Amino acid sequence: MIYLKKISTPQVMFIPRCMEANGGLVLSLKSTINQSVILLNVIDAATSDLYFKVSVNLPADVSSGEYEYALSDEMGELSTGLLIVGELSSPTEYKKVIQYEQSE
């Protein structure tokens, strides 16, 4: 899962890499809520053996929520997965004392 803030300034995104890219890269974001699609041209800043490092500029009108992403080149899809756009809420932690009793 990849998390992005809902801002229109550039953000760095690390996308899992399983094969070499040929040519320009396109990042497709498909909303799991309303099925709208956003296409972004991205540049691989520094490929490692494990990740594509790309800089992403989200449109100003992007909706918060869950998206299916697909990173593609001229030959086809390179990586797919889920992406969340928006601020993360803090998880709630419940501290409850649990008392165990053991019978003989």
Side-chain angles (χ1 to χ4, degrees):
M1 178 88 59
I2 297 174
Y3 297 93
L4 291 178
K5 294 179 181 176
K6 187 181 173 181
I7 56 176
S8 58
T9 57
Q11 301 177 67
V12 175
M13 182 175 162
F14 291 92
I15 300 174
R17 176 179 175 242
C18 62
M19 62 180 71
E20 292 289 326
N22 294 320
L25 297 175
V26 175
L27 181 65
S28 169
L29 304 177
K30 181 179 179 183
S31 173
T32 58
I33 296 171
N34 62 12
Q35 305 299 309
S36 64
V37 177
I38 301 168
L39 296 175
L40 304 168
N41 291 320
V42 294
I43 297 172
D44 186 13
T47 301
S48 72
D49 290 338
L50 300 175
Y51 297 99
F52 292 103
K53 179 183 176 185
V54 298
S55 180
V56 177
N57 282 341
L58 294 175
D61 61 344
V62 69
S63 300
S64 295
E66 184 179 82
Y67 291 82
E68 295 173 353
Y69 76 83
L71 182 68
S72 306
D73 66 358
E74 296 171 356
M75 304 299 286
E77 286 187 352
L78 299 170
S79 183
T80 60
L82 290 177
L83 179 138
I84 300 285
V85 173
E87 296 299 319
L88 295 176
S89 60
S90 302
T92 304
E93 185 175 327
Y94 298 96
K95 294 183 181 182
K96 181 179 177 184
V97 177
I98 300 174
Q99 200 170 26
Y100 295 98
E101 189 174 309
Q102 184 174 357
S103 302
E104 290 184 43

